Amino acid sequence: MPSPLDYPAFKRFVIANALTSGVFPLSEMTVMWLFLQGLHNLFLFSFVASSRPVTRIFASPIGGYIGDRFDRARTYTLTRLATPVTILGIMYCLLTHQYLLGMVLVYVRATISQLNSVVATTALYTLVPKELMVKAMAVNRFMKEPATVIGTLSWPFLLGLLGAKVLLISSSVLIITTLLVYKLKVSPGRKDVGFLTGFRLVKEKEEVRGAVVGIVFDQAGGAIVLNYLPYIIQLYGGGSILYSIAQALSYAVFLLGSYLNTRYKNAVGIAVLNLVLKISVFISLLVPSPWAPVYAVSAWLLGDAFLEVLWISSLRVGAGDDQLSSVLGVDESLTNVGRTAVLEVAPVLFPVGMFTVVSLGLALIGAEGIIQLLHKKILELEI
């Protein structure tokens, strides 16, 4: 069987994706850090911190519609070029202390970035034949994740040296790498695609409906572990070093899962393995040890690595490649509604006790399992 890298368009895409992933932490962490310092107001900063999940709710369906209705290569290029423009605008606001205007641009950037992300995700899954999709996902991860780690580790040094001008690096790389994906041959667009196409496919196609609804419950549970990881580690007596270990280990485990995906292709086995791992995540949190959340985040991301294959296979079979952006947009929107709901509920539950938080997590994973059983076409897929 040929390698995904034998396909020139895919090779160009993953190289650009890896370089972009390397500078993403530079822009994301710089924006969060400097706005927190400059605003001196936690309430105002909360609007900056929530910009991505909030904009994903409404921008994702729009991005899905645009990605299927119009030429994906052109849409991807235009939204990719618009992102560094907004980053430079944010840099100007940080340097001149115009924080309220900067907050507006943060939301503009997050919206454009999400429109681009939906189209980019579709491109990743459709630039190679279906039988090479799992290998393509693994190749992308093995190029993307190390670049992200390098960018994350270099950020504090670059921030100390350049301050807000670190954003010049991110914007420059985005502009340069756009040349790699210019005129990428993806879908030319379909005239019969409407804004509600993704919602219609979720309603009509069993594979799509099961995958979308299942992932909403799954990722809502994940928000408890991933978004509150620093809090849980501190709650159990751990410190910043343990938090760093947990983050580094989670990257390694996710890469391991991406490799194992290329060897293991039974849909039922993947579904069961994901559920078992994620049930073990919440049970482990009942152990009052600072190493419990370290195991939890690693086990969760290993399950995610397996689930990703089952999820995208279901969407691709049910929607086809030409309408994949539409269902991805709806999926992303609903998933972030679920994440946001849990993120708002969890702070109320943590003071009550970890057993309450664990009960919510187990209930969400149990609901995911029931949904998969009720949508048996997912479990019958050939991956």
Side-chain angles (χ1 to χ4, degrees):
M1 183 178 292
S3 164
L5 293 174
D6 293 335
Y7 293 81
F10 176 78
K11 183 188 293 186
R12 286 163 50 202
F13 180 85
V14 292
I15 291 173
N17 199 32
L19 292 171
T20 303
S21 298
V23 298
F24 176 77
L26 302 184
S27 59
E28 196 70 6
M29 297 169 76
T30 299
V31 167
M32 291 294 185
W33 190 266
L34 294 183
F35 268 100
L36 179 60
Q37 287 187 335
L39 287 169
H40 302 293
N41 185 307
L42 193 58
F43 174 73
L44 286 177
F45 175 72
S46 70
F47 288 98
V48 177
S50 61
S51 62
R52 287 195 178 273
V54 169
T55 53
R56 282 172 181 168
I57 293 173
F58 69 84
S60 297
I62 298 173
Y65 163 68
I66 292 172
D68 285 342
R69 176 65 177 78
F70 303 102
D71 182 275
R72 282 180 189 157
R74 187 174 300 171
T75 303
Y76 181 62
T77 302
L78 289 174
T79 52
R80 189 180 179 88
L81 284 174
T83 301
V85 174
T86 58
I87 291 176
L88 291 174
I90 293 169
M91 183 186 74
Y92 171 78
C93 290
L94 289 170
L95 291 172
T96 57
H97 308 293
Q98 299 184 53
Y99 293 106
L100 293 181
L101 175 59
M103 289 171 63
V104 173
L105 290 177
V106 164
Y107 273 81
V108 174
R109 180 198 66 153
T111 301
I112 295 171
S113 177
Q114 186 57 23
L115 296 178
N116 178 264
S117 178
V118 174
V119 181
T121 303
T122 308
L124 170 65
Y125 297 132
T126 57
L127 284 172
V128 296
K130 289 183 180 181
E131 60 270 19
L132 286 178
M133 185 184 69
V134 176
K135 282 190 175 182
M137 293 164 65
V139 169
N140 180 59
R141 291 293 180 189
F142 274 92
M143 295 181 70
K144 175 184 174 183
E145 302 302 339
T148 305
V149 172
I150 292 170
T152 302
L153 294 177
S154 64
W155 171 75
F157 304 101
L158 291 172
L159 182 70
L161 183 65
L162 300 173
K165 293 179 182 177
V166 170
L167 296 178
L168 280 172
I169 299 175
S170 298
S171 56
S172 299
V173 171
L174 279 169
I175 293 170
I176 293 169
T177 54
T178 301
L179 298 175
L180 282 172
V181 295
Y182 180 64
K183 291 189 176 180
L184 202 66
K185 291 186 178 180
V186 232
S187 170
R190 290 179 51 152
K191 300 294 184 183
D192 59 343
V193 171
F195 179 73
L196 298 178
T197 295
F199 294 95
R200 176 179 56 79
L201 288 168
V202 170
K203 179 181 177 182
E204 295 177 355
K205 297 289 185 176
E206 182 179 335
E207 303 96 328
V208 176
R209 184 170 61 253
V212 170
V213 179
I215 206 76
V216 169
F217 283 97
D218 182 278
Q219 294 301 294
I224 298 173
V225 178
L226 303 178
N227 292 69
Y228 287 101
L229 180 63
Y231 174 80
I232 298 172
I233 287 176
Q234 292 181 48
L235 186 67
Y236 285 165
S240 58
I241 293 177
L242 199 61
Y243 179 48
S244 178
I245 291 172
Q247 292 288 68
L249 186 61
S250 67
Y251 282 117
V253 168
F254 198 82
L255 289 177
L256 173 64
S258 297
Y259 169 75
L260 293 175
N261 278 338
T262 65
R263 307 288 177 179
Y264 194 64
K265 299 187 178 183
N266 181 276
V268 174
I270 289 174
V272 170
L273 184 57
N274 174 65
L275 292 174
V276 169
L277 282 168
K278 289 177 178 177
I279 289 171
S280 77
V281 165
F282 290 106
I283 292 176
S284 72
L285 292 179
L286 294 174
V287 180
S289 165
W291 289 98
V294 176
Y295 167 80
V297 69
S298 298
W300 188 275
L301 288 174
L302 183 59
D304 267 1
F306 283 103
L307 180 63
E308 183 182 25
V309 174
L310 187 62
W311 165 74
I312 193 59
S313 297
S314 302
L315 296 185
R316 198 171 178 184
V317 168
D321 289 351
D322 289 342
Q323 299 179 99
L324 186 56
S325 287
S326 293
V327 294
L328 283 172
V330 173
D331 175 275
E332 186 73 9
S333 177
L334 296 178
T335 298
N336 278 282
V337 170
R339 286 189 183 118
T340 303
V342 168
L343 289 174
E344 296 303 320
V345 170
V348 179
L349 299 181
F350 274 116
V352 176
M354 187 58 73
F355 182 79
T356 310
V357 177
V358 167
S359 297
L360 173 61
L362 290 174
L364 291 168
I365 300 306
E368 179 188 8
I370 293 171
I371 289 164
Q372 289 175 345
L373 286 174
L374 293 176
H375 298 81
K376 293 185 178 179
K377 283 190 176 181
I378 293 178
L379 304 178
E380 297 169 354
L381 287 172
E382 293 184 8
I383 296 176

